[in-house]
């Protein structure tokens, strides 16, 4: 029996303003609020909201048999709250349905998993707290930024309590194998690993309305029939994509929303089941471990981190930024910590790619780099005011460890106090 796992990823950054050299040390606000509001409102109304309304309808029409996952960053939830609060209400309805799993995502959609393990842990905790606060749900499934994955990251994720991870079904880790099975991580053998079926996912994302595509026109009945024709042993088909597929890449007039609404009917008719990632991990048995010694993503031809860290500009910005991790973790300045979180967004590194700048507003990679480095220069000055660079990193690490131990001891004592109060 075939099982289909849909997941839709939602994230957009705060737009950076044009920040000139002479503003360093003078202006500590780095964002273009008007551009951010305009873009987020358009993106939500054109794509995210119609998609979630479609998912809600699919759940209703299938009598709760349609299940899927949403990977919504903490930054995105903030932006919804700020500019499109009705989107939060819609997400709450999906959460209440218990048919949608809100998987964990690094809060600001950063490459902390690749650059700094302690920061990854902090961001995942921040995301868990935000999702619980806004939507009241939890998850032990991890969608790392751009499906970033490696054996090292998997091991850390397992230690942090993530029982399931999601990544790209790239050929260089699969070899002759199919992505349509449940696998496990070689670094944490009890951790379930789901692999995206790139060809099926991209067929919807990029070819649905393409008249030159060999399978055009695609309809729900034909799509489900093709899934049913996969080898019988291939029981799990992971179809994951950016939510902007719906309404932006594939505009509403192409029939993409009607296509989605019809899928559950034909799938259920064929005896197929829709699962969330956590449900897939629980229902199915892993076939074998996947080895991934090097970072893997769903981006670019190489399916690696080269789109974000492949040139000198990107590496310079990343190294300078994460060099102050310990100092930022120690400080109590809320505005500084907020900027630290937001400036990690992977989109800012993508803008510095010479070949593929994504949806950059900058004229070139150099233009994006200079703007970001001007902002970073001001940010680093603010960090230095809190913890000067004359303090060695070893001394900071020791101080940070002491503070962490104290916090843990306080939490333990508070728990004991609560137990004693209950006994009374």
């Amino acid at each position: 029996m075939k099982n289909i796992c849909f997941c839709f990823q939602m994230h957009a950054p705060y737009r950076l303003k044009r920040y000139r050299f002479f503003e360093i040390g003078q202006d500590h606000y780095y964002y273009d609020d008007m551009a951010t509001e305009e873009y987020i409102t358009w993106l939500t109304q054109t794509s995210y909201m119609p998609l979630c309304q479609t998912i809600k309808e699919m759940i209703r029409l299938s009598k709760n048999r349609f299940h899927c996952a949403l990977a919504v960053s903490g930054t995105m939830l903030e932006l919804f709250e700020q500019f499109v609060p009705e989107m939060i209400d819609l997400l709450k309805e999906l959460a209440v349905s218990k048919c949608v799993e809100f998987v964990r995502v690094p809060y600001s959609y950063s490459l902390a998993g690749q650059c700094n393990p302690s920061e990854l842990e902090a961001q995942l905790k921040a995301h868990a707290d935000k999702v619980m606060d806004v939507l009241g749900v939890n998850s032990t499934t991890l969608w790392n930024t751009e499906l970033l994955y490696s054996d090292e990251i998997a091991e850390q994720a397992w230690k942090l309590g993530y029982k399931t991870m999601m990544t790209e079904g790239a050929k260089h880790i699969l070899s002759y194998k199919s992505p349509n099975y449940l696998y496990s991580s070689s670094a944490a053998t009890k951790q379930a690993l789901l692999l995206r079926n790139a060809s099926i996912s991209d067929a919807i994302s990029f070819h649905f309305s393409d008249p030159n595509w060999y399978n055009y026109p695609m309809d729900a009945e034909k799509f489900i029939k093709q899934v049913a024709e996969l080898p019988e042993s291939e029981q799990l088909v992971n179809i994951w994509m950016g939510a902007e597929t719906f309404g932006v890449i594939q505009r509403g007039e192409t029939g993409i929303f009607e296509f989605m609404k019809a899928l559950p009917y034909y799938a259920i008719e064929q005896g197929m089941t829709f699962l969330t990632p956590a449900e897939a991990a629980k229902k199915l048995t892993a076939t074998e471990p996947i080895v991934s010694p090097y970072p893997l993503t769903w981006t670019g031809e190489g399916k690696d981190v080269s789109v974000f860290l492949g040139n000198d500009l990107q590496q310079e910005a990343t190294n300078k930024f994460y060099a102050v991790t310990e100092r930022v973790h120690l400080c109590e300045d809320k505005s500084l910590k907020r900027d630290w979180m937001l400036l990690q967004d992977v989109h800012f590194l993508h803008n510095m790619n010479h070949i593929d700048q994504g949806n950059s507003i900058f004229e070139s990679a150099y233009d994006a780099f200079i703007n970001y480095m001007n902002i970073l220069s001001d940010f680093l000055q603010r960090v230095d005011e809190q913890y000067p660079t004359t303090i060695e990193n070893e001394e900071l690490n020791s101080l940070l460890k002491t503070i962490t131990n104290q916090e843990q001891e306080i939490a333990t004592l508070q728990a004991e106090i609560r137990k004693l109060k209950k006994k009374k």
Side-chain angles (χ1 to χ4, degrees):
M1 183 176 70
K2 293 287 186 293
N3 301 280
I4 299 175
C5 175
F6 270 105
C7 185
F8 310 100
Q9 176 257 338
M10 297 182 183
H11 172 72
Y14 281 81
R15 294 294 181 97
L16 298 179
K17 67 182 181 182
R18 291 281 180 169
Y19 193 91
R20 309 298 180 185
F21 178 79
F22 62 81
E23 294 176 278
I24 298 172
Q26 306 298 319
D27 182 3
H28 303 320
Y29 194 76
Y30 312 132
Y31 315 102
D32 186 334
D33 291 337
M34 187 176 295
T36 300
E37 180 177 7
E38 182 180 354
Y39 178 70
I40 295 304
T41 302
W42 171 80
L43 178 64
T44 304
Q45 293 178 348
T46 304
S47 175
Y48 292 175
M49 191 169 288
L51 172 61
C52 287
Q53 289 167 338
T54 298
I55 292 171
K56 181 181 172 183
E57 187 71 0
M58 293 165 76
I59 292 170
R60 185 187 69 81
L61 292 173
S62 67
K63 297 180 180 179
N64 288 9
R65 285 184 284 182
F66 178 74
H67 290 195
C68 69
L70 289 176
V72 189
S73 71
T75 302
M76 196 73 250
L77 288 172
E78 279 187 23
L79 290 166
F80 288 151
E81 288 177 315
Q82 189 173 355
F83 301 123
V84 201
E86 58 269 33
M87 182 66 190
I88 293 292
D89 295 333
L90 187 50
L91 291 177
K92 286 180 178 178
E93 290 183 48
L94 294 179
V96 169
S97 75
K98 297 185 179 179
C99 295
V100 177
E101 180 181 6
F102 288 84
V103 298
R104 288 287 158 267
V105 184
Y107 193 94
S108 64
Y109 213 62
S110 73
L111 290 182
Q114 175 66 17
C115 302
N116 194 290
S118 66
E119 180 59 23
L120 175 62
E121 180 178 358
Q123 288 216 16
L124 292 177
K125 169 115 181 17
H127 185 262
D129 291 344
K130 184 68 175 179
V131 173
M132 178 57 71
D133 179 57
V134 175
L135 304 176
V137 292
N138 197 8
S139 174
T140 57
T141 301
L142 175 56
W143 170 299
N144 204 357
T145 303
E146 300 294 283
L147 291 180
L148 174 62
Y149 177 86
S150 69
D151 293 338
E152 185 178 356
I153 293 171
E155 183 177 12
Q156 182 189 3
W158 175 255
K159 290 177 180 177
L160 293 175
Y162 292 96
K163 299 177 181 178
T164 306
M165 280 202 71
M166 308 166 71
T167 192
E168 177 76 351
K171 290 181 180 178
H172 64 272
I173 64 163
L174 279 172
S175 184
Y176 62 89
K177 297 185 286 289
S178 166
N180 302 328
Y181 294 95
L182 182 70
Y183 291 95
S184 63
S185 165
S186 63
T189 54
K190 292 183 179 180
Q191 183 183 65
L193 185 62
L194 279 70
L195 303 180
R196 175 178 177 262
N197 187 310
S199 60
I200 293 178
S201 302
D202 290 348
I204 297 175
S205 292
F206 304 114
H207 303 300
F208 178 79
S209 61
D210 181 5
N212 297 316
W213 182 41
Y214 77 95
N215 227 357
Y216 180 86
M218 173 62 74
D219 58 48
E221 185 177 12
K222 185 196 293 186
F223 180 84
I224 292 298
K225 183 179 179 182
Q226 291 178 353
V227 173
E229 290 172 350
L230 291 169
E232 187 177 348
S233 62
E234 298 184 8
Q235 296 186 353
L236 179 63
V237 183
N238 297 311
I239 306 173
W240 310 335
M241 60 201 76
E244 62 276 3
T245 290
F246 303 89
V248 177
I249 299 175
Q250 303 297 333
R251 299 182 65 83
E253 54 266 30
T254 65
I256 189 70
F257 293 108
E258 289 72 19
F259 165 80
M260 285 297 293
K261 285 180 186 177
L263 285 178
Y265 173 82
Y266 292 106
I268 293 168
E269 189 178 55
Q270 290 278 350
M272 296 181 187
T273 303
F274 292 96
L275 301 175
T276 67
E279 289 169 343
K282 187 175 181 179
K283 177 180 179 179
L284 305 175
T285 302
T287 56
E288 60 181 289
I290 291 291
V291 178
S292 182
Y294 304 107
L296 165 73
T297 71
W298 70 346
T299 308
E301 292 184 7
K303 303 295 183 183
D304 53 22
V305 295
S306 60
V307 171
F308 314 107
L309 297 173
N311 66 42
D312 293 341
L313 306 181
Q314 296 163 322
Q315 292 165 19
E316 172 76 5
T318 301
N319 291 338
K320 284 202 170 183
F321 186 88
Y322 283 106
V324 298
T325 302
E326 290 81 5
R327 288 168 167 76
V328 175
H329 283 183
L330 280 170
C331 83
E332 297 296 330
D333 187 324
K334 290 184 179 179
S335 64
L336 189 71
K337 286 207 162 191
R338 176 167 173 75
D339 289 333
W340 165 259
M341 186 74 80
L342 298 183
L343 291 175
Q344 293 183 59
D345 197 301
V346 73
H347 285 78
F348 303 143
L349 293 173
H350 199 171
N351 292 343
M352 300 175 204
N353 187 290
H354 293 295
I355 300 172
D356 176 12
Q357 286 188 270
N359 296 318
S360 177
I361 61 171
F362 297 99
E363 295 177 2
S364 69
Y366 291 107
D367 190 25
F369 173 74
I370 291 169
N371 195 76
Y372 185 83
M373 293 305 287
N374 284 341
I375 290 172
L376 185 55
S377 294
D378 181 81
F379 176 80
L380 293 178
Q381 281 186 14
R382 293 163 60 201
V383 174
D384 192 51
E385 289 172 3
Q386 298 275 337
Y387 290 96
T389 52
T390 52
I391 302 175
E392 295 293 333
N393 279 337
E394 288 185 7
E395 186 179 347
L396 284 171
N397 283 328
S398 177
L399 181 58
L400 187 60
K401 185 177 181 180
T402 300
I403 292 171
T404 302
N405 289 340
Q406 288 175 343
E407 289 176 347
Q408 291 174 347
E409 186 176 350
I410 290 169
T412 301
L413 291 172
Q414 288 174 338
E416 289 180 5
I417 291 170
R418 286 194 293 269
K419 287 181 182 179
L420 291 171
K421 284 182 178 180
K422 286 181 180 179
K423 287 181 180 180
K424 291 181 180 180

